Amino acid sequence: MALPSVRSVMRVAIPFISVVVLLSMRLVGAGQDSGSVIPAESRPCVDCHAFEFMQRALQDLKKTAYNLDTR
């Protein structure tokens, strides 16, 4: 009895694992309460998040540069 090659096993395993992962993600997403969703009007836009992130990163860089200068 010949063992299946690695390539033929991977041809079956990869799609199977992908389907299992996708199904589990859908189940996790379905389990969340719909009442906990924040309305779009009260959420900041993506650009605002990016701007705030860049501001914090710039402040951190300034602090690091100042600390290096004082040493």
Side-chain angles (χ1 to χ4, degrees):
M1 186 166 144
L3 293 175
S5 68
V6 172
R7 187 171 289 186
S8 65
V9 170
M10 294 305 283
R11 280 188 194 159
V12 174
I14 290 175
F16 178 73
I17 292 171
S18 300
V19 168
V20 170
V21 168
L22 289 173
L23 289 175
S24 65
M25 289 175 67
R26 289 186 76 196
L27 290 175
V28 168
Q32 294 179 348
D33 294 332
S34 61
S36 64
V37 175
I38 299 171
E41 297 83 22
S42 62
R43 286 183 298 199
C45 63
V46 174
D47 291 337
C48 298
H49 279 298
F51 183 74
E52 291 170 0
F53 174 79
M54 292 303 291
Q55 275 187 325
R56 286 193 301 270
L58 184 61
Q59 288 173 353
D60 291 344
L61 284 172
K62 286 180 182 178
K63 287 178 187 176
T64 303
Y66 177 78
N67 288 337
L68 289 173
D69 286 342
T70 57
R71 288 185 183 177

